[in-house]
Amino acid sequence: MISSVTLAVVLGLALIGAIAALVFTEVRSRSGAPPRPAPASVTGRDALNVIDLGLRSVAAECVRAGRALPDVYAVVLSADRLTLRLSGADPDAPPPWTTDDSGEEWSAGPTQLDGTDLGGTAEVADPYALTVTIGLDRNDRVMVELSRASAAISVTGDGRDVRKLVRALVAELVTGPVGRHAEVTLVGSAAAEMTLGLGLQSTRLHTVATLREALAQDSADARASAASGPASPVTQVFRLIEGSSAVIVQGRAPRLFVLDAAQFRDEKEAMTHLNATDALIVLGDVPDSGWRFRIGDDGSLDTGPLGLRVGVHAGRLS
């Protein structure tokens, strides 16, 4: 009798243990399961065509409506939605764009952008030409418009990761459709660090010894352009941003400058000669940065005050 009771207890305990183990294994498998990779429609090169069409579409619709462009600082592409994040509330989005309750996000489905009429708006030459991918938030592609930084953008973390990220930004700008009119200048020692392994040849990618040299050359080019007559509409860049005056740069495209922290400190006074459509990335930490990006050991990117989540930075995607 006792042996039967004992056997029943043992079997019961064994059954409870087996069930508990099964539940634990199921929970662990769910929590530890690798996330599904982002679809190619988000990570692939074709995704940039969707983003390019979206940015040009919103510019064209705003021009037709006779209103200023929204102040876009970030773009997020998911499998079924393209979202523009604005620095302030702007609830009057032209169709097919819709706004969220705050008015700080405009969104449209990629299929809604098909067939967008871009005719008659050549005077708006890619006003968001410095919009570039910084990484992924789960399965969403996250991009920022570099020219919206109020000052230099510092990128910190492991030196190799910093270079990989900035190389990815440069490569996308000079080879992708969004940055088709952007100019990139690598300055001083950053030129050697960036071109090593970059393998790019583009008429829009330049290297100079100093930022002063780059700005002096730009001034000479501007004088030559002015002497040759007015720029064509395609080479004009119009920045019509809500809350600020229109910036019209004749014959000059938005520019990105890349230099290291030491050179930034040496040439800080030259920054005052940058234009409103320009952006500057510093390899390393510098005071008074407009945006501060920090790469973590896990490959994530902390965007600081921007508050954008990036689980995998762009250097690891390329």
Short mmCIF file of all heavy atoms in Angstrom, two decimals, residues 67 69-74 84-92 99-100 102-106 148 241-243:
data_model
loop_
_atom_site.label_atom_id
_atom_site.label_comp_id
_atom_site.label_asym_id
_atom_site.label_seq_id
_atom_site.Cartn_x
_atom_site.Cartn_y
_atom_site.Cartn_z
N ARG A 67 2.66 76.31 -50.16
CA ARG A 67 3.00 76.36 -48.74
C ARG A 67 4.44 75.93 -48.53
O ARG A 67 5.08 75.36 -49.42
CB ARG A 67 2.07 75.46 -47.93
CG ARG A 67 2.01 73.99 -48.38
CD ARG A 67 1.79 73.06 -47.21
NE ARG A 67 2.93 73.09 -46.30
CZ ARG A 67 2.89 72.68 -45.05
NH1 ARG A 67 1.77 72.23 -44.54
NH2 ARG A 67 3.97 72.72 -44.29
N LEU A 69 7.71 73.89 -47.01
CA LEU A 69 7.98 72.48 -46.77
C LEU A 69 7.96 72.20 -45.27
O LEU A 69 8.31 73.06 -44.46
CB LEU A 69 9.34 72.08 -47.33
CG LEU A 69 9.40 71.64 -48.80
CD1 LEU A 69 9.02 72.79 -49.71
CD2 LEU A 69 10.78 71.14 -49.14
N PRO A 70 7.56 70.99 -44.87
CA PRO A 70 7.62 70.64 -43.45
C PRO A 70 9.08 70.52 -43.00
O PRO A 70 9.96 70.15 -43.78
CB PRO A 70 6.91 69.28 -43.40
CG PRO A 70 7.10 68.70 -44.77
CD PRO A 70 7.05 69.88 -45.70
N ASP A 71 9.31 70.83 -41.75
CA ASP A 71 10.67 70.78 -41.19
C ASP A 71 10.96 69.34 -40.75
O ASP A 71 10.82 68.98 -39.59
CB ASP A 71 10.78 71.74 -40.01
CG ASP A 71 12.21 71.94 -39.56
OD1 ASP A 71 13.09 71.25 -40.09
OD2 ASP A 71 12.46 72.78 -38.69
N VAL A 72 11.39 68.53 -41.71
CA VAL A 72 11.62 67.10 -41.48
C VAL A 72 13.03 66.90 -40.90
O VAL A 72 14.01 67.36 -41.46
CB VAL A 72 11.49 66.30 -42.79
CG1 VAL A 72 11.84 64.83 -42.56
CG2 VAL A 72 10.09 66.44 -43.36
N TYR A 73 13.11 66.21 -39.76
CA TYR A 73 14.42 65.88 -39.19
C TYR A 73 14.70 64.39 -39.25
O TYR A 73 15.86 63.96 -39.13
CB TYR A 73 14.55 66.39 -37.75
CG TYR A 73 13.77 65.61 -36.73
CD1 TYR A 73 14.34 64.51 -36.07
CD2 TYR A 73 12.46 65.96 -36.39
CE1 TYR A 73 13.64 63.79 -35.12
CE2 TYR A 73 11.75 65.24 -35.45
CZ TYR A 73 12.34 64.17 -34.82
OH TYR A 73 11.63 63.43 -33.88
N ALA A 74 13.66 63.56 -39.43
CA ALA A 74 13.87 62.11 -39.50
C ALA A 74 12.84 61.47 -40.40
O ALA A 74 11.74 62.00 -40.60
CB ALA A 74 13.81 61.49 -38.10
N LEU A 84 7.38 60.69 -41.95
CA LEU A 84 8.25 61.85 -41.81
C LEU A 84 8.05 62.41 -40.41
O LEU A 84 6.91 62.70 -40.01
CB LEU A 84 7.92 62.92 -42.85
CG LEU A 84 7.77 62.47 -44.30
CD1 LEU A 84 7.46 63.67 -45.19
CD2 LEU A 84 9.01 61.75 -44.78
N ARG A 85 9.13 62.58 -39.67
CA ARG A 85 9.03 63.16 -38.33
C ARG A 85 9.46 64.62 -38.39
O ARG A 85 10.54 64.94 -38.90
CB ARG A 85 9.89 62.37 -37.34
CG ARG A 85 9.39 60.95 -37.15
CD ARG A 85 10.06 60.26 -36.00
NE ARG A 85 9.54 58.91 -35.82
CZ ARG A 85 9.95 58.07 -34.88
NH1 ARG A 85 10.91 58.45 -34.03
NH2 ARG A 85 9.43 56.85 -34.78
N LEU A 86 8.61 65.49 -37.85
CA LEU A 86 8.82 66.93 -37.94
C LEU A 86 9.29 67.50 -36.62
O LEU A 86 8.98 66.96 -35.55
CB LEU A 86 7.50 67.61 -38.36
CG LEU A 86 7.08 67.56 -39.83
CD1 LEU A 86 7.08 66.15 -40.40
CD2 LEU A 86 5.71 68.19 -40.00
N SER A 87 10.00 68.61 -36.69
CA SER A 87 10.52 69.22 -35.47
C SER A 87 9.44 70.00 -34.72
O SER A 87 9.65 70.41 -33.58
CB SER A 87 11.69 70.16 -35.79
OG SER A 87 11.24 71.22 -36.63
N GLY A 88 8.29 70.20 -35.35
CA GLY A 88 7.19 70.88 -34.70
C GLY A 88 5.87 70.46 -35.31
O GLY A 88 5.83 69.78 -36.34
N ALA A 89 4.77 70.86 -34.70
CA ALA A 89 3.45 70.48 -35.20
C ALA A 89 3.14 71.18 -36.52
O ALA A 89 3.34 72.38 -36.66
CB ALA A 89 2.39 70.83 -34.17
N ASP A 90 2.66 70.41 -37.48
CA ASP A 90 2.26 70.93 -38.79
C ASP A 90 1.14 70.03 -39.29
O ASP A 90 1.38 69.06 -40.01
CB ASP A 90 3.46 70.92 -39.75
CG ASP A 90 3.17 71.65 -41.05
OD1 ASP A 90 1.97 71.89 -41.34
OD2 ASP A 90 4.11 71.97 -41.79
N PRO A 91 -0.11 70.32 -38.93
CA PRO A 91 -1.22 69.39 -39.20
C PRO A 91 -1.78 69.45 -40.62
O PRO A 91 -2.67 68.67 -40.95
CB PRO A 91 -2.29 69.84 -38.20
CG PRO A 91 -2.03 71.31 -38.02
CD PRO A 91 -0.55 71.48 -38.13
N ASP A 92 -1.27 70.35 -41.46
CA ASP A 92 -1.85 70.53 -42.79
C ASP A 92 -1.07 69.79 -43.86
O ASP A 92 -0.46 70.39 -44.75
CB ASP A 92 -1.93 72.02 -43.13
CG ASP A 92 -2.78 72.79 -42.14
OD1 ASP A 92 -3.81 72.24 -41.72
OD2 ASP A 92 -2.42 73.92 -41.78
N THR A 99 -1.58 63.07 -41.13
CA THR A 99 -0.84 63.40 -39.92
C THR A 99 -1.34 62.58 -38.73
O THR A 99 -2.49 62.10 -38.74
CB THR A 99 -0.97 64.89 -39.58
OG1 THR A 99 -2.35 65.18 -39.29
CG2 THR A 99 -0.53 65.76 -40.75
N ASP A 100 -0.49 62.47 -37.73
CA ASP A 100 -0.94 61.85 -36.49
C ASP A 100 -1.65 62.91 -35.64
O ASP A 100 -1.80 64.06 -36.07
CB ASP A 100 0.24 61.22 -35.74
CG ASP A 100 1.24 62.25 -35.22
OD1 ASP A 100 1.14 63.44 -35.61
OD2 ASP A 100 2.12 61.89 -34.43
N SER A 102 -0.73 64.54 -33.08
CA SER A 102 0.11 65.66 -32.66
C SER A 102 0.45 66.59 -33.82
O SER A 102 0.87 67.73 -33.60
CB SER A 102 1.41 65.14 -32.03
OG SER A 102 2.23 64.54 -33.03
N GLY A 103 0.30 66.11 -35.05
CA GLY A 103 0.70 66.91 -36.20
C GLY A 103 2.19 66.90 -36.44
O GLY A 103 2.69 67.60 -37.33
N GLU A 104 2.92 66.08 -35.66
CA GLU A 104 4.39 66.05 -35.78
C GLU A 104 4.88 64.88 -36.61
O GLU A 104 6.09 64.69 -36.75
CB GLU A 104 5.01 66.01 -34.38
CG GLU A 104 4.74 67.28 -33.59
CD GLU A 104 5.36 67.25 -32.21
OE1 GLU A 104 5.94 66.20 -31.84
OE2 GLU A 104 5.28 68.27 -31.50
N GLU A 105 3.96 64.08 -37.16
CA GLU A 105 4.33 62.99 -38.06
C GLU A 105 3.42 63.00 -39.28
O GLU A 105 2.20 63.08 -39.14
CB GLU A 105 4.25 61.63 -37.36
CG GLU A 105 5.33 61.39 -36.32
CD GLU A 105 5.34 59.96 -35.82
OE1 GLU A 105 4.48 59.16 -36.27
OE2 GLU A 105 6.21 59.62 -35.00
N TRP A 106 4.02 62.95 -40.45
CA TRP A 106 3.27 62.78 -41.69
C TRP A 106 3.60 61.39 -42.21
O TRP A 106 4.77 60.96 -42.17
CB TRP A 106 3.69 63.80 -42.73
CG TRP A 106 3.31 65.22 -42.46
CD1 TRP A 106 2.85 65.74 -41.29
CD2 TRP A 106 3.36 66.31 -43.39
NE1 TRP A 106 2.60 67.08 -41.42
CE2 TRP A 106 2.91 67.46 -42.69
CE3 TRP A 106 3.74 66.42 -44.72
CZ2 TRP A 106 2.84 68.71 -43.31
CZ3 TRP A 106 3.67 67.66 -45.34
CH2 TRP A 106 3.22 68.79 -44.63
N ARG A 148 19.64 69.39 -40.47
CA ARG A 148 18.80 69.97 -39.43
C ARG A 148 19.50 70.06 -38.09
O ARG A 148 18.95 70.62 -37.14
CB ARG A 148 17.50 69.15 -39.29
CG ARG A 148 16.67 69.08 -40.56
CD ARG A 148 16.49 70.44 -41.22
NE ARG A 148 15.75 71.37 -40.41
CZ ARG A 148 15.97 72.69 -40.41
NH1 ARG A 148 16.92 73.21 -41.15
NH2 ARG A 148 15.25 73.48 -39.64
N ILE A 241 11.51 76.22 -45.27
CA ILE A 241 11.22 75.52 -44.04
C ILE A 241 10.27 76.37 -43.18
O ILE A 241 10.50 77.56 -42.99
CB ILE A 241 12.50 75.22 -43.25
CG1 ILE A 241 13.41 74.30 -44.07
CG2 ILE A 241 12.19 74.59 -41.91
CD1 ILE A 241 12.82 72.95 -44.38
N GLU A 242 9.23 75.75 -42.70
CA GLU A 242 8.27 76.44 -41.85
C GLU A 242 8.99 77.02 -40.63
O GLU A 242 9.77 76.35 -39.97
CB GLU A 242 7.20 75.46 -41.38
CG GLU A 242 5.99 76.11 -40.75
CD GLU A 242 5.13 76.80 -41.79
OE1 GLU A 242 4.70 76.14 -42.74
OE2 GLU A 242 4.89 78.00 -41.62
N GLY A 243 8.72 78.29 -40.35
CA GLY A 243 9.32 78.92 -39.17
C GLY A 243 10.66 79.54 -39.43
O GLY A 243 11.29 80.08 -38.51
#
